[in-house]
Amino acid sequence: MLKSVALTAAQCLRGTLRVPGDKSISHRALMLGALAEGLTQIEGILPGDDPRSTAECFRQLGAQISTIDGARVEVHGVGLGNLRESTDILYTGNSGTTTRLMLGILSAQPGLFSCLNGDASIRTRPMGRVIEPLSRMGAQIWGRDGAKRAPLAVLGQHLRPIHYDSPVASAQVKSAILLAGLLTVGETSVREPARSRDHSERMLTAFGADIRYCPDTTTVTLRGPARLSAQQIIVPGDISSAAFWLVAAAIVPGAELLLNGVGINPTRTGVLEVLGRMGADIQIENERTTCGEPVADLRVRSSRLEACEIGGEVIPRLIDELPILAVAACCARGKTVIRDAAELRVKESDRIAVMARELNRLGARVEELPDGLIIEGGHPLMGAEVESHGDHRVAMSLAIAALVARGTTVLGDPECATVSYPGFFEELARLKLGP
Ligand code: S3P
């Protein structure tokens, strides 16, 4: 395992690329494929550590899933309610989505006993947010810290439907409840304070579930029990991975990149809106719909960025992009304020504390707020030793910051990038050479 990587400023950043498949959609395709009847084929899946964790868990539960390195993954589903008890602990690695969505699925499998555990980061992350509503449905879940943290044990039950008013805008909470609702008789519904990503709703509809939601509201209702039938799925490129290149090309003088086939689901495009407000030159080309998800090619050119305020309703639509937007803000003229983003503190790392500390090591002026960051842009970045803290998005954000830092930046523990972006550093080296 690579302990660190040395990165230098970019003299050039040009080329065309395709970012890996969307992580959220990849997880859902594997999960619904495993729960459906028949053979689901998935093209363009993210071959990252997180979807591998999901695939391995479902193999242990009886689904046949081909290796997820290839261009096409095949999932032989077992049919709803037919999961097999695993003889071993289900290991969810670094993946919050796997852990939380599995809790919803496993809670509703009557009689099935399961144990879940993940890496050191997963064991610190709050699971009460899904366990609490699932318990109201009748789920039986045990865990550390008063059933709030992994390791967790689940004994599946016949659940009752609920209407849940979620205090957080979280697609993982919403999805866990909806997945539990698949085997539950009646209407299970979730209302969120702001709209989170709706990939579960779109994909559940495609697999045949009776689900009602209106893109303008924040309530979604599923009528169970459902029957899911196998689908052909094409996974679009992940806008959260594209975001690193959008910012890279915006801040490196003379840069131009074309990103092909990026998902532009409106519940995920907050990063495009904010970069647009900051003055980034991004063109959305060739818009189309693939398997119910909007997709486009994104062309981005270097530009002068201006500071802006980021908060409110847009936060859930760019939550994973805030670390890289913090890098953009360091290169923008003026003071950027990020608020309403306390959720960042419970991601793969405390992304507020970690981004403030690491960007300041590079010479940026970043101040922590309880729920965000204040970034005084325009201070030149200087190469330094920085740390990913085992967080894939922190690793890639700091690697992009290094492109505009004078001298050499040494990034510790860069390999965690494989959680969502295998080949990121190779792609970076290729684009620095130009076409
Ligand atoms: C995800 C939802 C978001 C996001 C995470 C993936 C999903 O988390 O940050 O990377 O696939 O549902 P929350 O639901 O905790 O906001």
Side-chain angles (χ1 to χ4, degrees):
M1 200 163 92
L2 209 58
K3 278 220 162 71
S4 66
V5 62
L7 300 156
T8 52
Q11 306 308 321
C12 157
L13 195 72
R14 296 180 84 86
T16 300
L17 69 153
R18 186 172 283 276
V19 295
D22 187 282
K23 180 157 78 67
S24 295
I25 298 176
S26 296
H27 282 301
R28 287 156 173 82
L30 288 166
M31 290 180 182
L32 295 191
L35 296 174
E37 290 164 32
L39 172 65
T40 288
Q41 294 181 313
I42 312 168
E43 257 176 59
I45 200 165
L46 165 65
D49 298 345
D50 270 14
R52 285 211 176 90
S53 297
T54 292
E56 194 45 40
C57 288
F58 277 95
R59 286 189 194 108
Q60 282 176 238
L61 292 164
Q64 274 179 45
I65 305 176
S66 60
T67 50
I68 60 172
D69 291 322
R72 171 174 295 197
V73 173
E74 300 205 328
V75 183
H76 294 267
V78 294
L80 267 174
N82 297 330
L83 291 176
R84 183 183 73 197
E85 199 164 76
S86 171
T87 54
D88 205 343
I89 289 171
L90 300 166
Y91 184 70
T92 60
N94 189 243
S95 177
T97 306
T98 311
T99 312
R100 295 195 176 112
L101 272 55
M102 296 281 301
L103 282 173
I105 292 169
L106 295 170
S107 295
Q109 311 286 315
L112 201 87
F113 178 76
S114 312
C115 291
L116 288 168
N117 202 9
D119 70 4
S121 156
I122 277 295
R123 294 195 297 272
T124 67
R125 295 183 68 186
M127 296 298 151
R129 55 178 58 195
V130 293
I131 295 172
E132 202 267 322
L134 290 171
S135 301
R136 284 199 217 171
M137 295 176 80
Q140 285 205 24
I141 303 172
W142 297 265
R144 216 164 45 79
D145 196 14
K148 287 198 203 77
R149 273 171 241 282
L152 297 154
V154 184
L155 180 59
Q157 306 290 323
H158 289 285
L159 301 181
R160 49 185 177 272
I162 54 164
H163 169 78
Y164 188 60
D165 236 322
S166 178
V168 277
S170 159
Q172 293 177 357
V173 171
K174 173 176 62 178
S175 303
I177 297 168
L178 293 175
L179 290 169
L182 285 173
L183 275 174
T184 303
V185 182
E187 288 194 347
T188 297
S189 66
V190 184
R191 191 172 74 172
E192 318 181 79
R195 198 160 173 70
S196 66
R197 63 193 67 193
D198 65 1
H199 305 300
S200 294
E201 293 90 310
R202 288 173 190 254
M203 204 179 284
L204 280 165
T205 304
F207 274 79
D210 178 357
I211 191 159
R212 266 171 292 141
Y213 78 106
C214 158
D216 301 328
T217 69
T218 55
T219 302
V220 51
T221 304
L222 180 134
R223 179 185 285 278
R227 248 186 111 159
L228 304 180
S229 43
Q231 297 297 308
Q232 306 282 326
I233 295 171
I234 301 172
V235 181
D238 197 328
I239 192 166
S240 298
S241 298
F244 299 108
W245 305 120
L246 296 176
V247 171
I251 63 177
V252 170
E256 178 168 347
L257 296 175
L258 175 63
L259 311 176
N260 284 323
V262 180
I264 54 159
N265 179 316
T267 59
R268 298 285 299 282
T269 47
V271 65
L272 297 179
E273 288 161 37
V274 166
L275 285 173
R277 277 202 274 132
M278 293 177 85
D281 177 0
I282 301 174
Q283 281 167 30
I284 301 176
E285 301 172 357
N286 195 14
E287 283 186 57
R288 64 251 189 211
T289 300
T290 307
C291 293
E293 289 280 350
V295 176
D297 304 329
L298 305 179
R299 188 182 297 278
V300 53
R301 295 188 184 90
S302 183
S303 49
R304 268 181 76 92
L305 297 182
E306 302 288 333
C308 77
E309 306 243 316
I310 310 174
E313 162 285 330
V314 79
I315 293 293
R317 297 192 297 114
L318 50 61
I319 189 75
D320 292 340
E321 290 68 77
L322 285 168
I324 189 61
L325 283 171
V327 173
C330 291
C331 304
R333 213 175 51 153
K335 187 161 81 177
T336 293
V337 182
I338 301 172
R339 298 218 79 126
D340 307 318
E343 275 293 300
L344 284 184
R345 294 206 181 267
V346 290
K347 293 292 178 188
E348 286 82 330
S349 69
D350 176 344
R351 287 179 175 164
I352 292 177
V354 163
M355 287 308 294
R357 187 176 333 144
E358 301 304 322
L359 288 172
N360 284 335
R361 284 189 182 166
L362 291 171
R365 302 281 166 84
V366 185
E367 200 187 303
E368 274 186 56
L369 294 170
D371 64 342
L373 294 165
I374 300 178
I375 301 161
E376 185 70 56
H379 295 277
L381 300 186
M382 312 288 279
E385 281 190 20
V386 289
E387 252 303 315
S388 73
H389 298 261
D391 183 329
H392 55 127
R393 299 202 199 281
V394 171
M396 293 184 275
S397 298
L398 295 172
I400 298 304
L403 296 178
V404 292
R406 178 138 30 106
T408 302
T409 297
V410 178
L411 169 63
D413 189 10
E415 283 197 354
C416 55
T418 55
V419 160
S420 64
Y421 203 144
F424 172 82
F425 289 97
E426 291 78 1
E427 193 75 296
L428 179 59
R430 180 178 76 82
L431 296 170
K432 279 170 88 174
L433 293 174

